[in-house]
Amino acid sequence: GKSTISNVLAEAAEGPSEVYRPTFAARILECEVETQSRAQRTTVELWDVSGDNKFSKTWPAVKKDAVGVVLVYNPENQSHEAEVDEWFAKFPRTMGMSPNQVLVIQSPRRADGARRTPMPARIANAGVNQLAAVQSDDLVRVRQIFSSFLETVRQSVLDKQRQEEEDVMKGG
């Protein structure tokens, strides 16, 4: 799930834990990622957020200064699609993120479950098209997917900054 992927990205683990431990509120991890277009590594803060609504008071801190969102769900669990739609509405949608700043990862529990299923309809209709399916025995591939996603996010942030600068210049 989310925590396993966060741990793999932060190199705190190479695979899933044998014991399920729900995340309490949020965990902050750091990782260094080499993006494809840059020869240097970028330090990234990962906020692994609990899926439990009782921690909603922490969400404003999670949203502050975020430039990308990774949504993780198990497509084998029918209720998870509705939950990932809800998370999309609460986070990237309310934060004004472009579709390029959202990555959806399908993380099935069964080893034979990594076949990519369609993107949840509401998220797809919002223009999000970055979707990956990752099995628990292939989590190293998550780093490659994340690196590519970060490059897309970096470009989106640069484009937004450039547009804001142009708007200031036109108004001034």
Side-chain angles (χ1 to χ4, degrees):
K2 297 181 304 291
S3 294
T4 297
I5 289 171
S6 296
N7 288 338
V8 168
L9 290 172
E11 297 182 350
E14 287 299 316
S17 170
E18 297 295 320
V19 179
Y20 173 72
R21 290 183 202 97
T23 303
F24 184 85
R27 295 181 319 132
I28 303 171
L29 300 105
E30 275 195 2
C31 67
E32 284 194 2
V33 180
E34 189 169 320
T35 56
Q36 296 165 348
S37 70
R38 304 178 97 190
Q40 64 190 51
R41 297 177 70 79
T42 303
T43 301
V44 175
E45 251 186 26
L46 296 172
W47 289 55
D48 177 14
V49 180
S50 171
D52 193 329
N53 283 322
K54 72 181 178 184
F55 298 114
S56 63
K57 290 184 181 192
T58 65
W59 295 347
V62 173
K63 292 178 177 183
K64 186 177 179 345
D65 298 329
V67 295
V69 172
V70 179
L71 300 169
V72 179
Y73 78 105
N74 178 355
E76 300 163 341
N77 186 329
Q78 290 183 343
S79 69
H80 282 200
E81 186 168 324
E83 288 176 24
V84 79
D85 274 338
E86 186 178 323
W87 280 95
F88 178 73
K90 289 177 182 175
F91 282 84
R93 184 54 68 90
T94 63
M95 297 164 68
M97 288 187 176
S98 77
N100 291 338
Q101 292 171 274
V102 182
L103 169 63
V104 178
I105 297 179
Q106 297 173 340
S107 181
R109 299 273 184 252
R110 294 189 336 253
D112 65 344
R115 290 174 204 84
R116 200 164 91 168
T117 60
M119 177 88 71
R122 285 189 199 143
I123 297 174
N125 290 340
V128 175
N129 62 9
Q130 296 183 88
L131 174 67
V134 180
Q135 288 180 269
S136 61
D137 63 350
D138 190 22
L139 289 170
V140 175
R141 193 168 71 86
V142 169
R143 289 187 187 117
Q144 297 166 333
I145 293 165
F146 190 67
S147 174
S148 177
F149 170 64
L150 279 183
E151 182 58 35
T152 304
V153 168
R154 186 183 77 79
Q155 191 59 52
S156 291
V157 169
L158 291 174
D159 291 347
K160 185 177 181 179
Q161 288 173 342
R162 192 175 3 241
Q163 184 61 50
E164 289 171 353
E165 290 170 2
E166 287 177 13
D167 291 347
V168 168
M169 296 303 285
K170 287 178 186 174

